[in-house]
Each structure stands twice: as C-alpha cells, then as structure tokens.
Amino acid sequence: MRVYKGFNKKIQAKHGKGTFQYEKGKTYKEEKSKTRSTGFHAAEYILDCLQWYPIDGKNKFFLCEAGGSIDEEDGCSMVVSTELTLIRELTLMEIAMAAMEYMIIHPKREWEKRERGAYAEKERSKAIGETKIAIARGIHPKVMGEYGTVIGLIVEDEKGKPVAAGVRNVDGIQAKAHQIYSMTEEREWVEVQK
C-alpha cells in the first residue's frame, strides 16, 4: 500500500517511542501493528503528516510502501503497518501532487487542511509566508502564491466530483507571484483580475 511519512532532516521519526532512524530503500519490520500504539505509522493523505513535521525547509517527506499487517484508523488517513519501505524523498511539487491525488481519488473524505506549510481549502487558498503549498478546490476555485511556492486547483461539478485539476510552481514561468488563478473544466489556467 502506498503511504507517506514525514521525518526530520536526518530522516528520523521522533514521535512515538523515541527516535527511530530510517534509510531510503531499506525495509523495516515490526511484530504487530495497531494505530497509536505499535508498528510503523504513516498516512494515505500526505498533508496529515504536517501535524508532526511541518514543511519548513528542514523536514523531509517520503513516498513509502506499507506492507505486512496493516491497520487503518477510522476517520483519518493514518495507516500502521508491520513493514515499511522508504521509496524516495518528495519535492514540494510532488507533495502538492500527492495531496491533490488523494483529494481526487477520495472526494468524499475529509481533505480540508490548514497545516504547517500547506493549505487545502474550499474555493480560495493562498501560499504566503510560511505556507509553501496552496490548493483550492471547488466549483470556481481560486489560488495564488508567492515566488517559490506551489499552487494547485481542483474544479468540481455541483455534486462535488472533481472534473479538472492542475498544479504549478510559482516561478514566474508556470505561474506569476501574487497572481490569482482559476481553472476551466478544460483544465485551462485563467488569470483572475483582483
């Protein structure tokens, strides 16, 4: 099962039973898995990882493979497994794409977040200051960001079903800093007048 996990800059998990050192590509094994107790904790929704590890330029985020006995917690995306393999570290763009993919695959699950470093909000969102990722989702979503951030849009129909999505770097080429964007159902990015 594909999951995500956050770490400090040394690829250590410091929550739970103390400090645990991980390495990319290595598979870790535990005897049992039970949420909030034993096993390797990760999340299906990458933005849930920000509760423990904010996007601050110091922490790292990995795509992982959970295996063995898997225990999922009701009401959130937390997954605990007896096996965990770190596949690769994710860029800021990949973190935004992973969050949007979860929101599209699971449109009825809870997705709104205002966590440390990323916002996923209904209709309007912005990436300014400490916020490095902004995702707006709705019938007419609007998003903007400062230079160096990542912005995403998910357009829904009246029933809440995603019909178009896109993500861009605010780099002056893909998207302009402080420009508000929206998106058509044909996935065209549109500059919105302030």
Side-chain angles (χ1 to χ4, degrees), residues 17-80:
K17 297 178 183 176
T19 303
F20 191 93
Q21 181 68 54
Y22 288 84
E23 290 177 40
K24 181 181 145 194
K26 189 172 177 183
T27 299
Y28 297 90
K29 296 183 179 187
E30 269 251 353
E31 293 289 320
K32 298 182 210 172
S33 65
K34 178 150 179 58
T35 56
R36 312 226 183 242
S37 181
T38 63
F40 299 104
H41 290 67
E44 284 184 272
Y45 187 31
I46 194 165
L47 298 187
D48 283 340
C49 297
L50 304 184
Q51 295 174 57
W52 297 279
Y53 297 95
I55 296 174
D56 61 4
K58 299 174 191 167
N59 294 320
K60 298 174 182 270
F61 299 88
F62 276 77
L63 169 64
C64 303
E65 183 67 31
S69 174
I70 296 175
D71 186 27
E72 297 180 61
E73 185 166 308
D74 290 336
C76 73
S77 77
M78 184 183 290
V79 173
V80 183

Side-chain angles (χ1 to χ4, degrees), residues 139-152:
I139 296 173
H140 303 290
K142 293 175 181 64
V143 69
M144 69 167 269
E146 292 180 330
Y147 189 84
T149 61
V150 175
I151 56 176

Side-chain angles (χ1 to χ4, degrees), residues 3 7 46 50 78 98 100-101 115 122-123 159 187:
V3 295
F7 303 96
I46 194 165
L50 304 184
M78 184 183 290
M100 291 175 66
E101 180 182 35
E115 290 293 347
K122 285 183 182 176
E123 296 299 340
K159 295 179 181 176
R187 296 190 322 205

Side-chain angles (χ1 to χ4, degrees), residues 91-158:
T91 65
L92 196 60
M93 173 65 83
E94 291 171 322
I95 293 168
M97 290 170 62
M100 291 175 66
E101 180 182 35
Y102 178 86
M103 292 162 63
I104 291 166
I105 291 171
H106 306 290
K108 301 296 183 195
R109 289 188 185 175
E110 179 60 38
W111 58 269
E112 285 185 84
K113 294 285 178 187
R114 287 183 64 90
E115 290 293 347
R116 302 176 300 165
Y119 290 172
E121 301 174 285
K122 285 183 182 176
E123 296 299 340
R124 292 184 156 268
S125 191
K126 59 185 175 180
I128 294 187
E130 298 295 312
T131 304
K132 302 303 176 197
I133 295 172
I135 301 165
R137 173 180 161 180
I139 296 173
H140 303 290
K142 293 175 181 64
V143 69
M144 69 167 269
E146 292 180 330
Y147 189 84
T149 61
V150 175
I151 56 176
L153 290 162
I154 299 175
V155 179
E156 299 177 327
D157 64 16
E158 298 79 27

